[in-house]
Amino acid sequence: MITYRDAAPADGAILGGIARATFIETFGNLYSLEDLTAFVNKGSDAAYADELADPDIAVRFAEAGTAQVGFAKIGGLKLPADEHGASADAAELRQLYIYRPWHGVGIADVLTDWAKDAARARGASELWLSVFTDNHRARRFYARHGFAEVAPYEFMVGKQADVDILCRAML
């Protein structure tokens, strides 16, 4: 049985651990060790704890028993979406990460619905995200949840630039 709970500042190590592990699990083979290390080191446990203390950030965990198996994080829009017509009240789905063994059981659907509801409750009229161009599974998932692909976006992992796609869902 999967349960959900809001994260607290004391959850920085949990959030950081999931974020680093799931990024490596999903994308680790795409980067040099130097670039991958530089990227994941930016997401220290202390940095995630600081984010969780920021009232602009909200995180929801998915839990199987007492183990956290995924999360979604929203906040104010930081992506370069202004040039693509982003509204002043736009929010951003900054991360949606789930451990691979838990893919396909509905967790991502629940967390995406939570992200949209939480953004709407904050007064946002739209929710933006970026997704890796070659992550076709995620692109299909977001399309099913009403996210339209808007424009390419350069996402840096260390010194390597990847092409992501900016996506927007109207709330």
Side-chain angles (χ1 to χ4, degrees):
M1 175 177 211
I2 304 297
T3 58
Y4 300 88
R5 73 168 175 91
D6 294 335
D11 292 321
I14 295 168
L15 185 59
I18 297 171
R20 290 185 298 272
T22 55
F23 187 86
I24 292 167
E25 177 182 56
T26 305
F27 303 112
N29 64 318
L30 301 176
Y31 306 106
S32 70
L33 183 57
E34 178 185 359
D35 286 337
L36 184 62
T37 300
F39 181 79
V40 298
N41 284 347
K42 289 191 308 187
S44 69
D45 293 348
Y48 277 106
D50 288 345
E51 271 195 327
L52 290 171
D54 182 344
D56 183 51
I57 303 293
V59 174
R60 185 98 166 151
F61 283 121
E63 300 179 319
T66 59
Q68 292 77 28
V69 297
F71 72 91
K73 177 177 26 170
I74 66 161
L77 183 63
K78 296 216 180 232
L79 290 168
D82 290 342
E83 63 194 61
H84 302 291
S87 68
D89 65 2
E92 181 179 334
L93 175 54
R94 296 191 182 169
Q95 292 174 302
L96 174 60
Y97 290 165
I98 300 165
Y99 285 116
R100 188 169 289 142
W102 297 98
H103 286 187
V105 298
I107 294 170
D109 293 311
V110 172
L111 290 175
T112 301
D113 289 344
W114 168 84
K116 291 167 89 174
D117 290 343
R120 199 176 293 113
R122 293 171 168 219
S125 62
E126 56 191 44
L127 185 62
W128 287 76
L129 59 82
S130 72
V131 61
F132 181 50
T133 303
D134 290 335
N135 191 343
H136 300 288
R137 183 173 192 257
R139 289 174 66 186
R140 286 189 305 272
F141 171 83
Y142 289 126
R144 282 195 316 273
H145 280 272
F147 286 89
E149 295 184 356
V150 176
Y153 162 67
E154 193 172 85
F155 182 81
M156 297 302 295
V157 177
K159 295 177 186 169
Q160 181 174 325
D162 285 335
V163 178
D164 275 20
I165 301 169
L166 294 175
C167 301
R168 169 179 46 204
M170 303 307 293
L171 304 174

